Amino acid sequence: MRRAQRHLRTALYRAAALAAAIGCLLGLINLPAQWSNFPGPRIALVLLAFAVVAGWAIERAIVAPLDRRALQIFGSLAVVALIVQPWWLGPTTTVPDYSPLTHLLVIGAITSAISFGQRIGVLAGVIAAVSTYLSRAQQIHTSQPMWEAILIAVTCLAAVGVVILLGTVSRAVGSAAGELWELQATAVAGRQRELERGRLDALVHDAVLGALLVAGRGQDRDAAARLAEEAVAVLESEGPSGSGSARDWAGRIGHTAARLGLSLDLDARGRIGDPLLADALMTATNEALVNVARHSGQSSARVTARFTPRLLTVTVADRGRGFDPEARGVGRAGIATSIDARLRAFGGNATIVTGPGEGTEVTLRVRPQPLHVEPARWSHGDFAPMVALAFIAIACHGAIAVDYLDKTHLAWVTTLAPLAIASILAWTWWTPPRRASWLAACVVSVTLAAALMANVINPQIADWRLWFVGAFDGIVAVVAFRFSGWAAIGTALAIPTAMAITVFAVGADLNPLAVTTASTQLLVCAILGALLRRGLGQAAATLHRVARRSYDLRVEETARAAREEEVRARIDQLGEACLPMLHRLADGVPLPPADQAECLRIEAAIRDHLVARPLVNQRLAAAVKTARARNVRVELAVDSRVSLARAQPLRDLVCDVLPLVPRGALVRVTWQGPVPGMAQPEPVDTTPLLATLVVLVLDDDLVRDVAQSCAALARTDLRVDADEDVVIVELHDATAEPTPRRQEVSGEIGAVVPEQGNPRAVAPLCPSF
């Protein structure tokens, strides 16, 4: 962030150096014409000294822009010259022309504010105002010197305001950097936790459940040992690593394919910039290959990967047996948990194209979200002090214009002109920052300046009859800061150009010196604003680059900490018995029947958590454990995106129904209510259906007893139906408005009969996996 702050100071110092050079050039141009009206030799000597220092300031602005010694000397010379001006550099006649040093000394006072700070700037502004009043009072015996002194004071205060504003911005940049780092760290931690959940869910699905199930059934001890060893290694590893290049990514995918015994046709091109995204995409691809090895019946697969900055795509295809995607239950976690969930953390998804006997094609797509920090736009409050000073300056110009009403064709036009200029300034300050806004402001300003020029009598006289040019300073400054520096410079050049064209058009004589003198401050404001805006743009660009680098540097550390936290939390969720049991299996220790039963119990509990996470809590886990101890097979299937509060009625129902189920029965719990992020079908029941409990009772004589016991729970949100050896318990949303699309027929157990042509679809009684 120090670099961004340096950009701000650099732009400010370069603007001051350029303004100093412009002031010297203008003074040298005006010197021959005013040689006899002012002490020419003295002013020439002073101009020479200023020109030397201004040249040094330009050299420093190019070579070492943060070196402000030349600007400080320039400002000091200006303050000294302002102090002695009324007596040593003042006018020698009563001609109301400006001294060749006027603009130079005002720029010098502004340079003092920039190079020394706001306090010295205020002092220099006061000295410049007093000096101007004393010098001009020797030439003009009206109130005009007072208004000119106020104008110069306002100009210097505006420079002080710019210094204060940029100082505030500089401090805000540093503050924003710290806040941005914290936000980035939080985002990285959240993304890593989401990634780790998907990775651990895939591990549970692939290795942990497999090891426990194989060991619990006493089948292949070596296979159980390999799976347990893989699970322990991943759980105790230090997280994702490796390059995001296509070659490294392809090498890791090839290693997985070789381990699975697959012949791989691999084509990978491009690079993944985010290491977390590279790891997520790699493990999702690995899981797709695992599904090929397990379910396709083929020993080969094709992987095509294309990595671009805007889109990452991986396609895994096989020519195997395929499957019916509509028949894939909610509880099947292979794709939903192991693949799609991990990509969801990065805004990606997985799509499947398959059919029975048609093979399977899994496509993974992720659109990387680049780090983008919206540059802070200037608010109206930021401009309020500068705009207030600009309004004061317009009022001063309007007061001076009163003394020159007799020098215009239409006095009422001159009288209303300050109000028109103030209106343009207010609109430019308040309008939304769009291109059309500043174009309109510039066009109206140039047109108004041309109209006022046409209203002036004898515009070739270099006095304050061209008062309106300086009144546009505030508009040019606001255009530069709010919209575009180049737009401000263009406006500052277009105004005197339009004035000159107007003079030629009305057939009057043109005095280039009069137009140039009146437009100098306008051009200086535009150039200062353009350079300062460029510095602000560079500061914003630096903020982006530093934020990107800080993000990259902190990703690894933050991700590792988040991963460790997630692993600890997940191991706690899996239970203390899981990891010790996996260690025993990995060591190849033979298990007695009691430990085999324990493996099956742990496997069932972990499976419940994997496929029905929102539903499982301590109470339900205890109820399920008790039911399974009575040889009741319990299968849960609830989408992980369902909220915990939404699943509470179903949790209570399961806990109430399980004790009523006889030994040897099968209970399958399926969520059928709304899922966040998924389109919902039209309701077909009196109230929306949330979930279904299907109880398969092996003893036909017990079906009626189970159904009556469920109906006796006296819950208004239940519908109970019985058919041969199956009891169906439907849970409805009792808080929703009824939709009467089915008929209810009273029966012994409150059966619900579907309307004609709309039979109820019963979920297939198939295992979760």
Side-chain angles (χ1 to χ4, degrees), residues 362-441:
V362 178
T363 302
L364 315 176
R365 291 187 181 89
V366 179
R367 294 189 181 275
Q369 302 297 323
L371 179 68
H372 178 69
V373 183
E374 183 68 21
R377 295 187 180 275
W378 297 103
S379 67
H380 300 127
D382 295 325
F383 284 98
M386 297 176 60
V387 172
L389 292 174
F391 279 121
I392 294 175
I394 292 174
C396 293
H397 282 89
I400 294 175
V402 173
D403 294 335
Y404 291 87
L405 291 178
D406 58 338
K407 305 296 191 300
T408 59
H409 297 290
L410 299 173
W412 65 270
V413 173
T414 303
T415 304
L416 295 178
L419 180 61
I421 296 174
S423 300
I424 298 173
L425 174 62
W427 185 82
T428 307
W429 172 43
W430 196 259
T431 186
R434 295 191 296 262
R435 183 178 181 181
S437 300
W438 67 259
L439 280 174

Side-chain angles (χ1 to χ4, degrees), residues 469-620:
V469 181
F472 287 104
D473 289 348
I475 297 175
V476 170
V478 173
V479 168
F481 278 99
R482 285 203 70 207
F483 300 100
S484 167
W486 290 111
I489 293 178
T491 305
L493 293 175
I495 287 176
T497 302
M499 291 167 57
I501 294 174
T502 301
V503 170
F504 284 120
V506 299
D509 295 330
L510 177 65
N511 182 358
L513 187 60
V515 176
T516 303
T517 301
S519 305
T520 299
Q521 190 168 330
L522 191 68
L523 185 60
V524 169
C525 286
I527 293 175
L528 285 173
L531 290 176
L532 291 177
R533 183 172 181 85
R534 183 172 180 270
L536 291 171
Q538 291 177 336
T542 300
L543 179 63
H544 283 225
R545 290 194 298 270
V546 173
R548 178 74 254 183
R549 285 199 297 270
S550 69
Y551 173 83
D552 293 336
L553 291 174
R554 301 180 77 170
V555 159
E556 183 177 355
E557 178 183 357
T558 307
R560 183 183 297 113
R563 181 191 178 281
E564 291 173 354
E565 176 186 350
E566 184 63 28
V567 168
R568 285 195 299 269
R570 186 54 61 87
I571 290 176
D572 291 341
Q573 291 174 351
L574 295 180
E576 298 178 356
C578 176
L579 198 57
M581 184 63 73
L582 290 176
H583 276 292
R584 292 181 61 187
L585 296 178
D587 294 337
V589 178
L591 298 182
D595 288 340
Q596 292 179 3
E598 180 68 10
C599 285
L600 293 177
R601 186 193 66 78
I602 296 174
E603 186 270 343
I606 295 174
R607 184 183 296 271
D608 291 341
H609 185 85
L610 182 63
V611 301
R613 183 177 302 157
L615 191 64
V616 178
N617 65 359
Q618 188 173 1
R619 178 191 173 203
L620 185 136

